[in-house]
Amino acid sequence: MKQKKQLYEGKAKVIFDGPESNTLVQYFKDDATAFNAQKKDVITGKGILNNYISEHMMLAVSKLGIPNHFINRINDREQLVRKLEIIPVEVVVRNVAAGSICARLGLEEGFMLKNTLVEFCLKDDSLGDPIIAPEHIFTFGWANPNELKIIVENTLRINDFLTGLFLGIGIRLIDFKLEFGRHENDGKVEIMLADEISPDNCRLWDAETKEKMDKDRFRRDLGGLIEAYQEIARRLGIKIPEVS
Ligand code: ADP
Ligand code: TMP
Ligand code: ASP
């Protein structure tokens, strides 16, 4: 079999060349990192869970009519995606205060935000992913106003949809992070959702017990990360193979 060419190794995934020139393969690793990779561990089975959960979320987003990079899941750890030119901006959506906004603005964790907040961070680990304004995005040419409008509209629709989806299975969607990119097809450029939607880049709390069911279990040394991700998959009706 032809060996796939590795293009990039990130903190949670490895990216390989896909079978066609405009495709890539995302391989989900078991590596867990936090605080710009200052904290690291390997959590056996995390990659498989995120691959299946992200597949489920991307297929749901497709049904909403929001363009995204997902083509199909290849196996337990890999998925075929469209190759995008990634916009180096992390789009963070917050419904409830948690994580970095608490320290930044002196808020209590769990404070219900009056409105959904959309924040932007520059995707640059060496700078610590600093928070930026739309004006920075335009000034430095990371995206133009029309592209950012599409990104924010799609992000808010995904938030509404995911909030309902998770509430239906007894989970509160506290916040999450999305990435977008440009896909070129026949000279036409389309903005698409990229990367993954999984408990690695969402905060998810059990609606009754308030238990954390996301990567904060690792960030805060709470243990039980795999059990929490498995419980999310179970409630979503996703069948996950034995962890290996
Ligand atoms: P990081 O780079 O932040 O450590 P990961 O380990 O998750 O993150 O690596 C996945 C990388 O692949 C990310 O840098 C992400 O921006 C990029 N990526 C995700 N989807 C696509 C895509 N469809 N086309 C090109 N790059 C992508
Ligand atoms: P934060 O509170 O640390 O800023 O994180 C907000 C949300 O974004 C949370 O759900 C975790 C997610 N996130 C990522 O997926 N990657 C990142 O690099 C960071 C900083 C946050
Ligand atoms: N993804 C970032 C890191 O790996 C931050 C985080 O998720 O907490 O360091």
Side-chain angles (χ1 to χ4, degrees):
M1 222 177 74
K2 205 172 134 229
Q3 205 59 26
K4 291 193 294 276
K5 185 174 156 220
Q6 181 176 318
L7 300 176
Y8 171 80
E9 176 156 10
K11 298 186 291 294
K13 299 190 283 299
V14 186
I15 305 294
F16 296 94
D17 250 341
E20 280 144 44
S21 64
N22 55 354
T23 62
L24 296 175
V25 173
Q26 288 201 122
Y27 175 95
F28 287 73
K29 301 192 283 181
D30 285 338
D31 297 9
T33 65
F35 315 116
N36 275 332
Q38 288 170 48
K39 182 178 165 89
K40 283 189 205 172
D41 206 348
V42 176
I43 305 181
T44 306
K46 180 175 81 73
I48 297 177
L49 281 152
N50 282 345
N51 185 20
Y52 277 82
I53 294 171
S54 193
E55 172 193 22
H56 187 91
M57 296 302 168
M58 290 292 177
L59 288 174
V61 166
S62 295
K63 284 195 193 140
L64 283 182
I66 296 178
N68 70 78
H69 72 164
F70 185 81
I71 301 175
N72 63 267
R73 187 172 51 74
I74 300 166
N75 56 40
D76 285 354
R77 288 199 179 263
E78 293 177 311
Q79 48 182 246
L80 184 65
V81 299
R82 292 178 188 87
K83 185 183 202 159
L84 307 185
E85 182 199 342
I86 292 291
I87 294 170
V89 173
E90 299 195 341
V91 184
V92 174
V93 182
R94 299 183 189 274
N95 298 306
V96 177
S100 68
I101 197 173
C102 293
R104 196 172 354 113
L105 301 182
L107 301 174
E108 186 104 10
E109 183 175 86
F111 175 77
M112 268 301 290
L113 298 168
K114 203 164 108 224
N115 303 104
T116 295
L117 253 183
V118 179
E119 294 178 339
F120 307 103
C121 297
L122 177 63
K123 190 174 158 58
D124 186 331
D125 283 345
S126 66
L127 298 175
D129 294 346
I131 190 160
I132 51 174
E135 285 73 12
H136 293 96
I137 298 176
F138 308 145
T139 299
F140 295 101
W142 295 315
N144 66 41
N146 187 48
E147 288 174 327
L148 195 64
K149 185 168 169 276
I150 295 170
I151 288 171
V152 171
E153 277 172 9
N154 286 347
T155 296
L156 291 173
R157 285 187 63 210
I158 292 169
N159 182 49
D160 284 346
F161 172 76
L162 290 184
T163 297
L165 178 90
F166 280 117
L167 263 188
I169 55 168
I171 292 173
R172 288 173 74 200
L173 176 62
I174 304 302
D175 60 30
F176 60 98
K177 183 266 299 180
L178 299 177
E179 291 182 28
F180 290 84
R182 299 180 188 92
H183 183 249
E184 214 191 308
N185 196 9
D186 274 345
K188 255 190 74 186
V189 178
E190 186 175 26
I191 296 291
M192 286 191 182
L193 175 66
D195 207 49
E196 66 180 281
I197 304 179
S198 76
D200 264 18
N201 50 28
C202 301
R203 282 198 176 88
L204 301 164
W205 296 355
D206 184 278
E208 259 179 36
T209 65
K210 298 196 171 115
E211 242 198 311
K212 298 185 195 305
M213 303 178 76
D214 55 70
K215 205 170 90 174
D216 269 352
R217 301 210 68 84
F218 166 72
R219 294 190 189 97
R220 301 181 185 199
D221 294 321
L222 300 172
L225 179 140
I226 290 295
E227 292 74 8
Y229 285 27
Q230 279 171 334
E231 176 59 13
I232 288 167
R234 191 191 66 76
R235 291 194 202 177
L236 287 168
I238 306 172
K239 245 185 99 56
I240 306 277
E242 281 293 297
V243 161
S244 61

